[in-house]
Amino acid sequence: MSRVNELERQLELLSPEELAEFRRWFAEFDAHLWDRQLEAPGWRIGAALSVNRKSHPKIPNYSIQNIPRDPGTTWAFEAGFGVSRTEGPTTFALDVAFQPIWSDTWQVAVSTDAANSEGRLSIGDRSIENDFVFSNLLLRSGIEHAVDWARFQAGLEIRSYGYTLEQRNWVDTTRRDQDEAWVEWTPTFGLTAALGSLDLRYGLRFTHGTGRPGIASTGDVSLAALEAGDFILAPGAPLTLVDARVVTHQIAVVIPVR
């Protein structure tokens, strides 16, 4: 008979009070083992949780997907977990974050909407409601290796975006459902050179994705758009999606200040 089977037999003989005491002891014992694992040399672990709520006012409508940009509320959450391991001159790290978002927007009925609704709506009622559910996932990993005066880095970032839209039009009593998803991934490379009292750093990033939204060019330039500053102007041309690949070079010089 194994030691586990013998222990099971002994547990079956415990009274309810003794079993409750054993549960408390085992919970503390198991937690202590987990703590000892985290305290192992070279290991680091971390977690993060955030909650955000935004109440947004009406901004100008966009022709992209023909969704009105009206008042609404948004709840955004993020839960992340990361772990790293250092052994000698090499460090490896991995972190994952999940970002669920719920957003509700609506359009307020005007006199035209009330008239076209055949009595279903009054001025001020919600004529269109949009319910978004986003499920975004972020995965990042990287490795660094130090050799004498230099450190070499390589990493990969993957972002997965997905959302569903449920749009209800109370003017003509129609409903529209839409599902969208895409993935963007970015390999990165870096080099840090220690030159005396300063560090010279170089970074290279390649960003790939399914495309970037834009609008078809009409050949005209709007002076209002040039002078808008921080104001958001609604595009007036059809939506286009252009394949995108972004290459970024970054050079930095770090000088200590004493």
Side-chain angles (χ1 to χ4, degrees):
M1 181 180 296
S2 67
R3 297 176 61 184
V4 174
N5 292 335
E6 180 64 24
L7 181 59
E8 290 176 352
R9 290 187 54 189
Q10 294 181 8
L11 290 176
E12 292 174 354
L13 300 177
L14 295 179
S15 66
E17 294 79 9
E18 292 173 331
L19 189 58
E21 181 65 25
F22 173 79
R23 289 196 186 100
R24 286 191 294 269
W25 171 85
F26 185 79
E28 295 177 358
F29 174 78
D30 190 50
H32 180 63
L33 286 181
W34 175 247
D35 290 340
R36 286 198 301 178
Q37 292 173 6
L38 296 184
E39 294 171 0
W43 284 97
R44 298 186 63 184
I45 192 170
L49 177 65
S50 64
V51 180
N52 297 275
R53 182 185 184 276
K54 180 180 180 181
S55 178
H56 33 91
K58 177 178 173 58
I59 60 177
N61 293 347
Y62 275 78
S63 60
I64 296 178
Q65 297 181 356
N66 194 29
I67 298 173
R69 298 301 198 267
D70 287 285
T73 56
T74 298
W75 284 92
F77 303 83
E78 181 179 77
F81 174 82
V83 62
S84 69
R85 167 69 167 165
T86 300
E87 184 171 352
T90 304
T91 299
F92 174 79
L94 173 70
D95 64 67
V96 181
F98 178 57
Q99 302 165 333
I101 304 172
W102 291 268
S103 182
D104 300 323
T105 64
W106 57 86
Q107 184 176 8
V108 177
V110 296
S111 57
T112 305
D113 297 326
N116 294 335
S117 68
E118 300 179 352
R120 291 185 297 272
L121 297 175
S122 300
I123 297 177
D125 291 342
R126 295 185 180 183
S127 58
I128 295 179
E129 291 183 296
N130 304 296
D131 294 331
F132 290 92
V133 178
F134 292 83
S135 298
N136 303 332
L137 184 64
L138 171 63
L139 173 65
R140 290 181 293 198
S141 64
I143 187 171
E144 178 183 81
H145 183 73
V147 179
D148 295 330
W149 51 270
R151 298 196 306 272
F152 301 90
Q153 300 97 18
L156 178 64
E157 178 181 88
I158 300 176
R159 292 178 176 268
S160 173
Y161 300 93
Y163 76 84
T164 60
L165 165 65
E166 180 182 308
Q167 185 181 71
R168 296 177 298 277
N169 188 323
W170 300 112
V171 178
D172 52 13
T173 62
T174 59
R175 170 174 170 167
R176 181 169 71 95
D177 296 323
Q178 183 172 346
D179 296 317
E180 298 289 346
W182 66 95
V183 176
E184 297 177 0
W185 55 284
T186 304
T188 62
F189 305 92
L191 169 65
T192 300
L195 305 176
S197 61
L198 60 85
D199 286 348
L200 180 63
R201 299 179 181 178
Y202 170 74
L204 175 63
R205 296 169 59 91
F206 298 94
T207 300
H208 306 262
T210 56
R212 293 183 180 274
I215 57 173
S217 174
T218 61
D220 298 329
V221 178
S222 171
L223 294 179
L226 296 177
E227 300 172 354
D230 293 334
F231 290 96
I232 301 175
L233 299 181
L239 170 66
T240 61
L241 288 174
V242 181
D243 291 338
R245 179 187 177 191
V246 181
V247 180
T248 304
H249 301 270
Q250 184 180 42
I251 298 177
V253 178
V254 180
I255 302 175
V257 178
R258 293 185 175 89

